[in-house]
Amino acid sequence: MDPMAKHLKLLFSKFLIFLFVLGCDFTSGLNQDILSAQKYVDNQQFDKAVELYERILVKNPSKVIKTKINYQLAEIYYLYLDQQVKALKYYQFIVDNVDEPLWQVKSLEKIADINYSFARNFNESIRAYQILMQVKPRLSNYDYYYLRVGESYFEMGRYDKAREIFNQIINQPTNPYYVEAYNQMALIEFYNKNWDKAVDYWLEYLKREKRKDQIVKVKFLIANAYESNEKLKEAYNIYYSLLSTYPNPDVLRARLKSLYARRVARKR
């Protein structure tokens, strides 16, 4: 059995054990439906499992069972059917109906991520992350939530709000996203066509970044900023230096050819 199926089997087995402990909370017919849904999951027939769980919900089972099924439906859509946006309403059910803090936090994290990464509804991602940031005592992922709020503002084009957040992170050298904040500030300046400021932030970023793939990516962006700012020699030199490491060297060769032609034309 592949790892995904093993994980699902364990997940749903725990779910069923919980339901059996409840004993008298459901009828034998409901019991059979749940067992059938479990079988569909074991066989990775996720569409059939979803259909059956939906039918169980229509029967209006107890709140505890309804809650468990909503969470399982959310996880199936989010993790296994690649239909993350459909999972939103099930996670929202957990937020609206369950008082258990762990369930609330996990569901809000998924709601925030889905709205940011898949639905691209940044107002909703900000709302969910801000709720998570208000939890007391502060959650371990607080700094990540704050970064995501900044990134959400950036994606919305609200650069002043994003800049405010990333500047605050830059002023916190112990923040785990301290380095990334320089990259985000550079991107803000880049999209605002402030090429020199963008390069300055990226150069600060490169002083701190250790990941080779990110270094290559940012060097390419620096070259792009130089090119946009008509600093053709600087752009050419960086593109050329990346030929052995950039994942698509044909793109670099095209840029180099174009830059060479522009530099020759400029000298005429």
Side-chain angles (χ1 to χ4, degrees), residues 180 183 205 209 211-219:
E180 178 56 28
N183 183 37
Y205 173 83
E209 181 58 76
R211 294 171 295 175
K212 291 182 179 179
D213 60 330
Q214 283 298 110
I215 291 172
V216 169
K217 180 179 178 180
V218 165
K219 283 183 176 180

Side-chain angles (χ1 to χ4, degrees), residues 11 13 24-25 35-36 39 68 97 99-100 115 121 137-138 174-175 213 245 248 255-256:
L11 180 71
S13 294
C24 62
D25 222 328
L35 288 172
S36 296
K39 187 174 181 180
K68 291 285 183 177
N97 292 278
D99 295 326
E100 172 59 43
N115 277 305
N121 186 340
R138 179 180 288 193
T174 59
N175 189 302
D213 60 330
T245 54
N248 191 346
R255 291 288 179 99
L256 289 167

Side-chain angles (χ1 to χ4, degrees), residues 79-246:
L79 295 171
Y80 305 109
L81 289 181
D82 197 25
Q83 298 179 44
Q84 290 82 5
V85 175
K86 282 190 176 182
L88 279 172
K89 72 173 184 178
Y90 301 103
Y91 285 125
Q92 191 62 52
F93 178 91
I94 305 301
V95 172
D96 294 339
N97 292 278
V98 180
D99 295 326
E100 172 59 43
L102 180 62
W103 285 63
Q104 288 266 334
V105 168
K106 287 186 176 295
S107 296
L108 275 168
E109 286 180 335
K110 296 291 179 59
I111 288 170
D113 178 61
I114 292 168
N115 277 305
Y116 180 87
S117 302
F118 302 99
R120 309 298 281 171
N121 186 340
F122 302 111
N123 280 319
E124 285 302 304
S125 67
I126 290 170
R127 184 190 68 82
Y129 284 125
Q130 288 179 334
I131 292 172
L132 288 162
M133 289 169 62
Q134 292 167 7
V135 174
K136 303 295 183 184
R138 179 180 288 193
L139 296 170
S140 60
N141 287 331
Y142 179 94
D143 291 325
Y144 174 74
Y145 306 149
Y146 193 49
L147 175 76
R148 273 299 205 218
V149 171
E151 290 175 335
S152 296
Y153 280 127
F154 172 82
E155 293 290 346
M156 294 168 69
R158 297 181 64 181
Y159 298 127
D160 288 344
K161 295 287 288 185
R163 187 183 282 111
E164 180 182 331
I165 289 173
F166 298 135
N167 264 326
Q168 287 189 32
I169 296 174
I170 284 173
N171 289 326
Q172 303 168 14
T174 59
N175 189 302
Y177 302 101
Y178 166 72
V179 177
E180 178 56 28
Y182 281 100
N183 183 37
Q184 295 297 326
M185 287 293 288
L187 288 170
I188 289 173
E189 301 303 341
F190 184 85
Y191 279 97
N192 279 291
K193 300 183 179 181
N194 298 323
W195 314 117
D196 289 336
K197 284 187 177 181
V199 169
D200 287 343
Y201 276 115
W202 271 321
L203 291 176
E204 289 299 318
Y205 173 83
L206 290 177
K207 291 177 184 178
R208 298 162 173 83
E209 181 58 76
K210 305 299 183 185
R211 294 171 295 175
K212 291 182 179 179
D213 60 330
Q214 283 298 110
I215 291 172
V216 169
K217 180 179 178 180
V218 165
K219 283 183 176 180
F220 179 86
L221 290 171
I222 290 173
N224 201 322
Y226 279 139
E227 183 179 357
S228 300
N229 204 21
E230 294 298 318
K231 295 183 177 181
L232 304 186
K233 181 179 178 181
E234 291 88 337
Y236 188 96
N237 290 340
I238 293 179
Y239 284 138
Y240 188 83
S241 73
L242 294 174
L243 276 172
S244 63
T245 54
Y246 194 72

Side-chain angles (χ1 to χ4, degrees), residues 19-30:
L19 293 180
F20 284 129
V21 170
L22 295 177
C24 62
D25 222 328
F26 50 84
T27 66
S28 59
L30 185 57

Side-chain angles (χ1 to χ4, degrees), residues 37-51:
Q38 167 66 25
K39 187 174 181 180
Y40 286 138
V41 171
D42 288 343
N43 293 328
Q44 300 186 45
Q45 295 175 283
F46 302 122
D47 289 331
K48 289 185 176 180
V50 165
E51 182 182 352

